[in-house]
Structures are given as C-alpha cells and as structure tokens.
Amino acid sequence: GFGPRTRPGYQDALRAKTLVFSEPYVDADTKQLVVSLSVPYTTASGVVRGVVGSDILLTTLEAVIKDIKLQGQRNAFLLDNKGLILAHSREDLIGKNLFEQSKQAALATAVKESGDRTSGYCYYEEEGRDVVLVYRQLPMTKWLLGISVDSDVVFAPLAKLKWLFFTGTLLSMLVV
C-alpha cells in the first residue's frame, strides 16, 4: 500500500523542479537519522518522467565533518536552515537544535547575526576565548557549514610576522 509518489521528497522535487533536500528524519529500516535528496527526471523536451531520490545517513555527514581540522582543532559543524545540528565534531550535539543549547549560546548568537549571508566570518567569545567563525551556505541546501577556531590559532602567523618586521626594522635602524 506504499506509494513512492506520495512521499514528501517526491512531491517537493516536482514543485521545486530542482534538487531538494528533506528535513532529517528517522529511517524506518536503519533507525538512523537520514536526509533525502530528490531531483525530478525530465526529458530533453522538459517532460517530467519521475523523481530520482536517495537517502544520506547523517553518520556519513558526521564522518566528513570530523575530518575537518585546523591546527589540530576540530570545531566544524553543519546546520540545516532551522538550526538543527546535522553534523558536528562533538557527537553529543548532533540532532539537537543549536539555538536551544545553552552551552552553545555564543555560537548560536554568532550564527543568528550572520543573517542570510551565504558566506563570511565573524568573531565571538566562548569560555573566555576569542573565536573566529568562518561559514558558508552549501549550494542548493540552505545548510550552513561552519568552522570555529580560536583567534590565537588563526592569527599566530601574523603575530610571528609582526615580530619579524619589528626585528628587521630595529636591525635596519641599528645598521643605519
């Protein structure tokens, strides 16, 4: 009695006439969180013949996010357009809404302040540390990929360069 044409992903792809991503849901077979991708299949003349779809386990996205590191720091995350954490370097946050996590309030505020921009960076303070958030909206999804890194790590090369210039200037003055 199950009709695949009645599934929301099928209907959403037909309405949008492009690739669509579903809200995360628990898959009946695997009992894991998944996201469906659906795209209408059309002929060269534009006649819709059906919809092609696939499910992606969120554990697959988690593995990709865990591999994102900068100077040994792992603070990458992937949010859907409502703030649901699809993948995070901290497993205990996956499947929760960022905006409802009190321990992530500073990050949530920084994400909210980024507004509807598709990419950029901003600064925020977390546990007494200055942090840089670099983010980009993934094409066709409205999902936000972000990486938070301590500003000390980001600006360490500039601090070294500053001392190098200072030392070089001082030595030049002594020589002159």
Side-chain angles (χ1 to χ4, degrees), residues 91-102:
E91 291 181 22
D92 61 315
L93 295 174
I94 297 168
K96 298 179 179 170
N97 191 301
L98 174 68
F99 305 122
E100 298 170 359
Q101 302 301 309
S102 60

Side-chain angles (χ1 to χ4, degrees), residues 77-85 97-99 104-117 121-124 133-135 142-148:
F77 59 87
L78 183 64
L79 300 177
D80 76 357
N81 59 337
K82 295 179 182 167
L84 184 70
I85 302 170
N97 191 301
L98 174 68
F99 305 122
Q104 299 292 312
L107 175 59
T109 301
V111 169
K112 282 181 186 176
E113 289 175 359
S114 69
D116 289 335
R117 292 182 293 182
Y121 65 93
C122 60
Y123 303 94
Y124 67 98
L133 168 63
V134 180
Y135 59 89
K142 294 192 178 184
W143 293 351
L144 190 73
L145 174 63
I147 302 173
S148 295

Side-chain angles (χ1 to χ4, degrees), residues 24-162:
Y25 63 94
V26 177
D27 182 62
D29 293 332
T30 64
K31 308 292 188 243
Q32 294 184 24
L33 279 176
V34 297
V35 174
S36 291
L37 301 112
S38 304
V39 64
Y41 172 71
T42 58
T43 63
S45 61
V47 176
V48 175
R49 304 294 292 178
V51 172
V52 178
S54 181
D55 291 340
I56 298 176
L57 292 170
L58 287 188
T59 53
T60 303
L61 296 175
E62 293 169 33
V64 172
I65 294 298
K66 283 182 182 179
D67 285 342
I68 297 174
K69 298 176 188 169
L70 183 63
Q71 299 289 332
Q73 293 191 0
R74 297 189 322 177
N75 292 317
F77 59 87
L78 183 64
L79 300 177
D80 76 357
N81 59 337
K82 295 179 182 167
L84 184 70
I85 302 170
L86 302 173
H88 199 287
S89 54
R90 286 186 43 200
E91 291 181 22
D92 61 315
L93 295 174
I94 297 168
K96 298 179 179 170
N97 191 301
L98 174 68
F99 305 122
E100 298 170 359
Q101 302 301 309
S102 60
K103 290 185 178 180
Q104 299 292 312
L107 175 59
T109 301
V111 169
K112 282 181 186 176
E113 289 175 359
S114 69
D116 289 335
R117 292 182 293 182
T118 57
S119 65
Y121 65 93
C122 60
Y123 303 94
Y124 67 98
E125 189 174 315
E126 182 177 78
E127 299 174 1
R129 299 173 294 133
D130 291 327
V131 179
V132 178
L133 168 63
V134 180
Y135 59 89
R136 180 168 191 101
Q137 188 179 61
L138 299 181
M140 300 167 62
T141 64
K142 294 192 178 184
W143 293 351
L144 190 73
L145 174 63
I147 302 173
S148 295
V149 182
D150 287 352
S151 61
D152 293 345
V153 172
V154 173
F155 297 117
L158 290 176
K160 289 179 185 176
L161 187 61
K162 177 178 76 171

